[in-house]
Amino acid sequence: MEETEESSGNKKCTTTTKTFRGRANTHKHHYHQYQYQYHYHYQHQLLQYSNQFGFFNQNQYYPGYYPALLPLPPPIPLQLALTPPLPQNHSSISKTQLQKPLCKLNNPPPPPTSSETRGPAVTASPAFEGLQQQKNRPLRGGGGRKVTSATTQSLVVARRPDSGGVEGSVITLLANHFLVQFDSSQRIFHYNVEISPNPSREVARMIKQKLVKENSALLSGALPAYDGRQSLYSPVEFQQDRLEFYVSLPIPASKSSLPFGEINFLQEKHQQLKIFRINIKLVSKLDGKELSRYLSKEGDDWIPLPQDYLHALDIVLRESPMERCIPVGRSLPTQQGLALNVDFSVTAFHESIGVIFYLQKRLEFLRDLPQRKTRSLVGEERKEVEKALKNIRIFVCHRETVQRYRVYGLTEEATENLWFADRDGKNLRLLNYFKDHYNYDIQFRNLPCLQISRSKPCYLPMELCMICEGQKFLGKLSDDQTARILKLGCQRPKERKAIIDGVMRGSVGPTSGSQGREFKLHISREMTRLSGRILQPPKLRLGDGGHVRDLIPSRHDCQWNLLDSHVFEGTRIQRWALISFGGTLDQKSNIPKFINQLSQRCEQLGIFLNKNTMIKPQYEPTQVLNNVSLLESKLKKIHSAASNNLQLLICVMEKKHKGYADLKRIAETSVGVLTQCCLYSNLGKLSSQFLANLALKMNAKVGGCTVALYNSLPSQIPRLLHSNEPVIFMGADVTHPHPLDDISPSVAAVVGSMNWPAANKYVSRMRSQTHRQEIIQDLGEMVKELLDDFYQELNVLPKRIIFFRDGVSETQFYKVLKEELQAIRDACSRFPGYRPPITFAVVQKRHHTRLFPSETDPSSAQNQFSDENISPGTVVDTVITHPREFDFYLCSHWGVKGTSRPTHYHVLWDENQFTSDELQKLVYNLCYTFVRCTKPVSLVPPAYYAHLAAYRGRLYLERSECMASMRHASTISRAAPPKAAPLPKLSENVKKLMFYC
């Protein structure tokens, strides 16, 4: 699991390719309807911390994603056609008619993502002063290091307790952070820009470029940086605080054919000039001295981070690349002072093609759509089409317009049955409207129209619409597409490093333009060199029944095997059954062999699995998984036949099926039985590894564990931990619905260790909560329940609480600390006189920091694996970490594919007063106790288990019929998210077991 988890390059990465250097070409891999585009995740990472430099983007949402940059595709002209161009005659249509929409939109959709034109000429002329005042946004907590609670008690974020750890062998590493030196005396003048009518970003940049070229004197000779929207940053003050300009931009007026239809219009060869009004107003004057003071640690330790200045620098450094690339993704702060974090990733994009052809490519049942123009949509087909198109941005090709629209749904009626009221209140038939105004006959009359307004009828025929370019594909990729995109982004360390270095030296990198010099910035082209340490792997204890009862992982990847060993605690699975869904006769005939070999493999591992099932294997067709009530009755029948006393139900499936979610929900909430699923495709091989993996998961679910630390945690951290003073490790995570789902609840999960000092068995609690709410709403109640369970197991409350919180961005650190720390304290206060010391650490995987072995390091040169990833146990807590706060990067796993991503641990609160060495050793040792595998994992197990539990809660909701109807009801209008439907209650039989692993 770790092999794909770490190395496969996450979908939100960023990408560079050798053939891209020095050119503006895009490598596109078209798989069905998606474009896999290589792009530079030019992770303009304005570092929030560190001993050197770093910026921070105040508008970031996830702390780890800076706009990735990819080469601009060829411009889509306004006359874009879906079929070979056919000349069209617009000569009979007036300008008013051409621009008249089907309905009036109060809130027009976002501007186009692509350039409206590439016309060479832009004229600009100064005009009178005037601009409405825009209020400056207040800073919100991101840079301050103090949090004030409702009781006015100040929370000061944990400081680094020392100068960093010292344990482990020292190695030299390179980090993909590039130092940025700035002049603290350099002021930056922030101007607000308003352009009317609202253009796309590309057109706005063209306007800005010509405006600057033609009005140098008024702009004091400055070369300002522009974000393409409303912010302009200049190194010098303009001649006036308010300026107004008019810019005329040539828009080609020639038209090409509609996607389907006859030659109706004559081409027009002339160009129309579109006039834009630009108002510029001074908003603020930003001072670099505050940033210098923050980084140099002078004065008050808790001065706020100057986010406005950092955001300005971010725009400045993006200015040159943005002229030739389009942004994808978000930013992430790191800790090297002022530094750029440059990384590489791959993501999927929608093809910019006609909606009809898009549906033909994407949906199997519409493969013949262009040839069957009389086709209609029935039943589930309509839902599938609506799901495929919802929230996609489109533009029309039957008239000239710079407007782009977002699809909110489909009309209930077919196109031929649609009528609408014009501005005079007259009812018009849609078919007649297009014939009268555009001399175009709608071809696909039986298909619904696209609904492009959230609150009122506003229709566009599908055949006249095209998908806007540059849109990330947010839907679920097929298994094949996922595998391909992961392969594209799965570069080994040497190759990834070469790509990043190429970006920094290339023609589209952050050092390629003149903006840096204009603002007195110097960006290093060399990766940051720093020292890391490799922690020693812990000695592990295995079961007493095996030939090997303890070991120290000695391989370079720190993995171990169980060929001559037993698991640390093997269970006895006496009462179990098997159910099959689908499968050929040959596959079903392998079931007896599978049962026999699985039982033998369990015995070799010190696990007892009865060779006889309580009832004979049950064989059901795959269709049972499509019928929730039938599936539930089948499972209850099996449980009843086994005297309602099953420990485990093994489920063999012909293929992956969406009914898996229903199976898990019914078994764990309604029936009360643990399940273990597998595929027939794996039963044909029955490899020893497959059987062992299955056995480990079954053993963990029923109550066993794979391994324990030979030297207990108290013996390794004796200053803080003691055998007679139990400690609880907790993990928490929140999983949110799919990006296109704007109504489903989020799901929060909290897990807690229930044994000491082994600390390798975890109980979970799950809750649904408000849509996309990151703060865990019922945290106090869940922690209280886990403390109750802990007391029932050990007859004492834990002396210390060590809490690992996953899924939090840096902009949310202090809100999470303030609210969730208080919730934990409230839970403790419900036990009289109980106030244990709490350590609260955030765990982050969504970042783009990568560590590479240094080729000049003598220790790595002698290592036969020096061309591979950094070793498990590699820890970094200097240079690229926060200048004051307690954080570190730890790569605890071995990356088999791609480049390893270290996990970032940031301690927000530490009443236990760990030293760097103590906490790093604790986390690394825990990574060896994960129950599902025989290798260290990349994420500390409490956080890992919380992630798995939250995902299980998500499964409980995803297939619920009520949620499906709610989603359908929200197609057109979107009100506030409804109150979260509660998760179904877990059965008492599974509640205290690791059913989620």
Side-chain angles (χ1 to χ4, degrees):
M1 155 152 208
E2 285 302 300
E3 301 148 11
T4 56
E5 163 191 82
E6 280 320 318
S7 21
S8 53
N10 117 9
K11 296 177 193 172
K12 295 183 179 175
C13 344
T14 54
T15 326
T16 338
T17 123
K18 296 175 183 176
T19 55
F20 167 72
R21 295 176 200 160
R23 304 193 309 170
N25 294 337
T26 305
H27 282 177
K28 299 180 184 178
H29 299 262
H30 293 275
Y31 300 133
H32 302 295
Q33 75 277 18
Y34 315 121
Q35 293 177 320
Y36 297 88
Q37 292 190 358
Y38 288 103
H39 58 284
Y40 294 117
H41 191 81
Y42 162 66
Q43 184 145 357
H44 220 167
Q45 185 163 319
L46 303 186
L47 285 191
Q48 170 169 338
Y49 359 125
S50 161
N51 309 333
Q52 297 165 356
F53 295 88
F55 319 168
F56 171 78
N57 178 354
Q58 72 178 16
N59 294 323
Q60 77 178 39
Y61 178 71
Y62 283 103
Y65 304 107
Y66 250 73
L69 305 179
L70 61 150
L72 280 173
I76 294 187
L78 290 175
Q79 63 269 22
L80 216 165
L82 295 179
T83 56
L86 299 174
Q88 299 173 352
N89 182 0
H90 274 200
S91 59
S92 61
I93 307 299
S94 71
K95 179 179 178 182
T96 303
Q97 289 172 324
L98 286 174
Q99 294 180 344
K100 184 176 179 181
L102 297 187
C103 71
K104 185 177 180 180
L105 294 176
N106 293 328
N107 298 308
T113 58
S114 59
S115 176
E116 308 304 334
T117 177
R118 300 286 167 152
V122 180
T123 62
S125 58
F128 57 87
E129 296 183 6
L131 179 66
Q132 292 182 350
Q133 182 173 356
Q134 178 183 358
K135 292 183 179 178
N136 201 5
R137 294 180 182 175
L139 293 177
R140 291 194 161 222
R145 320 320 284 182
K146 288 187 179 180
V147 180
T148 304
S149 68
T151 60
T152 71
Q153 179 184 7
S154 180
L155 299 179
V156 179
V157 175
R159 296 192 60 177
R160 194 178 304 281
D162 44 42
S163 58
V166 296
E167 292 192 8
S169 54
V170 178
I171 56 169
T172 302
L173 299 169
L174 296 174
N176 58 338
H177 295 180
F178 296 84
L179 208 59
V180 178
Q181 296 176 342
F182 70 102
D183 185 341
S184 61
S185 65
Q186 175 65 54
R187 301 179 78 188
I188 297 179
F189 298 87
H190 179 198
Y191 291 87
N192 183 75
V193 178
E194 286 188 359
I195 303 178
S196 178
N198 187 23
S200 69
R201 282 196 179 192
E202 288 70 34
V203 173
R205 290 184 186 282
M206 293 174 64
I207 294 170
K208 174 258 179 183
Q209 288 171 6
K210 194 63 177 178
L211 186 150
V212 170
K213 183 178 180 180
E214 300 291 334
N215 297 275
S216 178
L218 281 172
L219 303 182
S220 303
L223 296 177
Y226 180 44
D227 68 353
R229 293 189 183 235
Q230 290 187 311
S231 290
L232 189 74
Y233 296 94
S234 172
V236 296
E237 194 167 4
F238 296 161
Q239 293 297 312
Q240 301 174 26
D241 290 350
R242 295 170 182 254
L243 293 168
E244 183 168 279
F245 303 91
Y246 285 97
V247 171
S248 58
L249 186 70
I251 301 284
S254 62
K255 300 292 295 182
S256 67
S257 71
L258 296 171
F260 305 94
E262 315 243 342
I263 301 176
N264 295 324
F265 308 117
L266 296 175
Q267 279 194 323
E268 299 178 23
K269 300 295 184 182
H270 66 277
Q271 290 187 326
Q272 298 176 348
L273 288 179
K274 191 167 188 67
I275 299 177
F276 297 89
R277 185 177 71 174
I278 301 94
N279 286 309
I280 298 176
K281 178 193 170 184
L282 180 65
V283 174
S284 60
K285 302 176 183 181
L286 308 175
D287 195 336
K289 293 179 181 178
E290 292 184 12
L291 178 58
S292 179
R293 183 168 166 238
Y294 179 87
L295 293 173
S296 64
K297 309 179 186 178
E298 294 176 358
D300 182 2
D301 271 343
W302 306 114
I303 60 174
L305 181 70
Q307 294 185 34
D308 285 349
Y309 195 85
L310 295 177
H311 181 63
L313 292 181
D314 174 34
I315 300 301
V316 169
L317 289 173
R318 276 193 258 181
E319 175 77 4
S320 178
M322 288 288 282
E323 292 177 359
R324 284 158 288 179
C325 306
I326 59 177
V328 178
R330 293 182 182 269
S331 64
L332 144 77
T334 60
Q335 310 163 355
Q336 229 198 107
L338 218 48
L340 292 179
N341 176 210
V342 181
D343 195 22
F344 148 90
S345 76
V346 179
T347 193
F349 287 80
H350 292 286
E351 280 187 78
S352 183
I353 58 176
V355 167
I356 294 295
F357 291 128
Y358 176 85
L359 294 175
Q360 178 194 19
K361 281 190 168 189
R362 180 164 181 186
L363 301 175
E364 184 67 36
F365 61 86
L366 294 179
R367 288 290 185 257
D368 61 348
L369 181 57
Q371 290 77 42
R372 296 181 56 195
K373 297 181 180 179
T374 59
R375 196 191 195 289
S376 60
L377 300 178
V378 295
E380 290 296 317
E381 291 181 346
R382 187 184 183 283
K383 293 181 181 178
E384 289 297 314
V385 170
E386 188 167 62
K387 181 180 177 183
L389 294 175
K390 189 175 180 182
N391 287 314
I392 289 180
R393 282 175 288 119
I394 52 116
F395 65 92
V396 296
C397 54
H398 64 282
R399 59 185 173 88
E400 297 287 2
T401 177
V402 297
Q403 207 162 22
R404 281 5 185 190
Y405 307 97
R406 187 176 299 277
V407 178
Y408 288 102
L410 303 180
T411 57
E412 294 292 338
E413 297 287 339
T415 301
E416 66 176 357
N417 298 325
L418 287 174
W419 293 69
F420 67 95
D422 67 7
R423 291 172 178 171
D424 299 324
K426 180 182 177 182
N427 277 338
L428 300 177
R429 190 184 184 198
L430 188 137
L431 294 181
N432 295 341
Y433 175 86
F434 277 92
K435 181 64 175 175
D436 295 342
H437 286 73
Y438 302 106
N439 195 24
Y440 180 74
D441 292 309
I442 301 296
Q443 306 293 304
F444 293 83
R445 301 183 173 204
N446 293 326
L447 292 180
C449 277
L450 302 181
Q451 168 67 30
I452 58 167
S453 172
R454 204 179 264 155
S455 56
K456 65 169 81 170
C458 200
Y459 315 136
L460 285 175
M462 290 187 189
E463 63 198 78
L464 301 181
C465 300
M466 294 197 60
I467 309 293
C468 291
E469 65 180 343
Q471 294 185 80
K472 284 185 66 175
F473 179 74
L474 298 177
K476 182 176 175 57
L477 297 172
S478 69
D479 290 345
D480 177 63
Q481 290 163 339
T482 299
R484 293 185 187 188
I485 202 170
L486 291 180
K487 185 176 180 180
L488 289 175
C490 198
Q491 279 69 32
R492 296 301 291 170
K494 272 194 172 182
E495 183 181 359
R496 193 182 200 97
K497 180 180 180 299
I499 289 171
I500 294 171
D501 286 338
V503 173
M504 294 303 295
R505 293 172 171 82
S507 60
V508 295
T511 63
S512 59
S514 60
Q515 293 305 129
R517 294 188 299 274
E518 184 80 1
F519 287 80
K520 299 180 182 178
L521 299 175
H522 178 265
I523 304 107
S524 171
R525 296 188 176 190
E526 301 298 325
M527 287 192 177
T528 298
R529 187 174 298 275
L530 65 148
S531 294
R533 293 170 289 113
I534 302 179
L535 305 180
Q536 292 301 306
K539 188 175 184 179
L540 305 177
R541 184 184 297 278
L542 302 172
D544 292 336
H547 295 296
V548 178
R549 301 185 180 185
D550 58 72
L551 59 86
I552 297 177
S554 56
R555 290 174 31 167
H556 71 280
D557 56 8
C558 289
Q559 297 188 27
W560 66 96
N561 63 57
L562 296 172
L563 289 178
D564 298 314
S565 309
H566 285 182
V567 295
F568 177 71
E569 184 180 342
T571 54
R572 294 185 62 82
I573 306 175
Q574 293 271 16
R575 306 175 305 280
W576 69 284
L578 184 145
I579 184 171
S580 161
F581 297 99
T584 64
L585 288 176
D586 285 344
Q587 288 176 324
K588 294 175 185 177
S589 67
N590 285 329
I591 291 293
K593 177 183 177 183
F594 165 63
I595 293 175
N596 183 59
Q597 293 196 15
L598 179 61
S599 177
Q600 290 179 13
R601 192 69 183 97
C602 284
E603 183 179 0
Q604 295 168 1
L605 294 171
I607 305 165
F608 176 78
L609 177 68
N610 195 334
K611 293 186 177 180
N612 299 310
T613 56
M614 290 194 72
I615 59 173
K616 65 179 183 179
Q618 304 293 298
Y619 297 94
E620 303 290 347
T622 300
Q623 288 73 18
V624 171
L625 292 170
N626 293 322
N627 189 320
V628 175
S629 57
L630 181 59
L631 176 62
E632 183 167 359
S633 68
K634 296 287 185 183
L635 297 182
K636 286 184 174 179
K637 183 178 179 180
I638 292 175
H639 197 45
S640 175
S643 305
N644 294 323
N645 199 23
L646 275 183
Q647 290 175 278
L648 181 70
L649 177 64
I650 294 181
C651 309
V652 186
M653 298 181 178
E654 181 178 2
K655 58 183 179 181
K656 291 183 179 180
H657 195 283
K658 59 185 179 181
Y660 171 86
D662 287 323
L663 174 66
K664 290 294 184 181
R665 175 176 51 80
I666 294 168
E668 293 161 3
T669 63
S670 178
V671 179
V673 62
L674 295 164
T675 57
Q676 179 60 57
C677 297
C678 58
L679 298 175
Y680 267 117
S681 57
N682 291 320
L683 267 58
K685 313 164 193 174
L686 286 181
S687 67
S688 176
Q689 187 63 56
F690 165 72
L691 293 171
N693 290 341
L694 205 61
L696 293 183
K697 294 183 70 174
M698 291 162 44
N699 184 58
K701 289 179 179 180
V702 178
C705 62
T706 304
V707 69
L709 299 173
Y710 187 88
N711 299 311
S712 66
L713 293 173
S715 68
Q716 297 190 60
I717 310 176
R719 186 181 69 85
L720 291 179
L721 308 181
H722 305 95
S723 297
N724 60 348
E725 295 182 351
V727 173
I728 188 170
F729 298 103
M730 290 186 174
D733 193 15
V734 179
T735 177
H736 300 295
H738 188 278
L740 299 180
D741 183 339
D742 55 8
I743 196 167
S744 296
S746 294
V747 176
V750 184
V751 303
S753 58
M754 292 291 128
N755 57 339
W756 179 258
N760 55 9
K761 295 183 180 180
Y762 288 77
V763 168
S764 68
R765 290 293 184 272
M766 303 175 294
R767 297 283 197 281
S768 61
Q769 61 183 43
T770 303
H771 176 77
R772 302 206 182 282
Q773 170 68 47
E774 185 55 53
I775 302 297
I776 301 178
Q777 294 173 337
D778 291 339
L779 179 61
E781 186 60 33
M782 289 190 278
V783 170
K784 163 66 167 55
E785 292 176 14
L786 292 173
L787 292 175
D788 280 332
D789 289 347
F790 190 95
Y791 186 85
Q792 290 176 20
E793 292 292 330
L794 299 177
N795 294 316
V796 65
L797 289 169
K799 298 296 182 183
R800 304 177 190 273
I801 295 177
I802 301 173
F803 192 94
F804 295 98
R805 177 66 157 91
D806 195 7
V808 179
S809 68
E810 289 170 356
T811 54
Q812 297 171 314
F813 275 7
Y814 309 104
K815 181 176 175 63
V816 166
L817 175 61
K818 174 185 172 182
E819 298 189 25
E820 295 189 359
L821 177 62
Q822 187 59 46
I824 297 171
R825 285 175 168 170
D826 290 344
C828 295
S829 68
R830 295 169 70 175
F831 301 90
Y834 180 56
R835 186 182 169 87
I838 299 169
T839 295
F840 190 109
V842 168
V843 183
Q844 294 178 304
K845 292 285 288 182
R846 286 183 167 182
H847 63 78
H848 282 275
T849 293
R850 298 293 185 273
L851 301 172
F852 303 92
S854 172
E855 297 176 357
T856 60
D857 185 6
S859 62
S860 65
Q862 298 170 2
N863 187 340
Q864 59 175 320
F865 301 104
S866 61
D867 190 26
E868 301 289 342
N869 273 302
I870 54 177
S871 300
T874 299
V875 64
V876 170
D877 56 8
T878 60
V879 183
I880 61 170
T881 51
H882 200 287
R884 304 178 186 87
E885 295 175 12
F886 188 6
D887 72 314
F888 57 91
Y889 289 93
L890 172 63
C891 183
S892 52
H893 71 292
W894 174 253
V896 178
K897 298 179 182 178
T899 303
S900 296
R901 185 204 315 266
T903 300
H904 185 211
Y905 296 88
H906 197 130
V907 182
L908 301 186
W909 193 256
D910 186 24
E911 294 173 333
N912 288 296
Q913 299 183 340
F914 281 97
T915 66
S916 294
D917 279 328
E918 287 171 339
L919 188 58
Q920 291 162 10
K921 179 190 290 186
L922 170 67
V923 170
Y924 186 46
N925 283 357
L926 287 175
C927 289
Y928 281 80
T929 65
F930 191 69
V931 294
R932 296 203 315 200
C933 56
T934 56
K935 58 185 175 183
V937 290
S938 64
L939 194 64
V940 66
Y944 206 142
Y945 293 140
H947 175 77
L948 295 176
Y951 176 73
R952 179 57 53 85
R954 167 70 47 212
L955 282 184
Y956 290 172
L957 290 176
E958 278 185 350
R959 291 279 288 159
S960 125
E961 293 177 358
C962 65
M963 290 309 302
S965 63
M966 287 167 63
R967 287 193 194 99
H968 183 65
S970 69
T971 298
I972 303 300
S973 62
R974 177 172 65 177
K979 184 176 180 181
L983 295 177
K985 189 176 180 181
L986 284 170
S987 167
E988 292 298 322
N989 294 355
V990 303
K991 190 174 182 180
K992 293 187 178 182
L993 296 171
M994 297 178 69
F995 63 92
Y996 50 83
C997 71

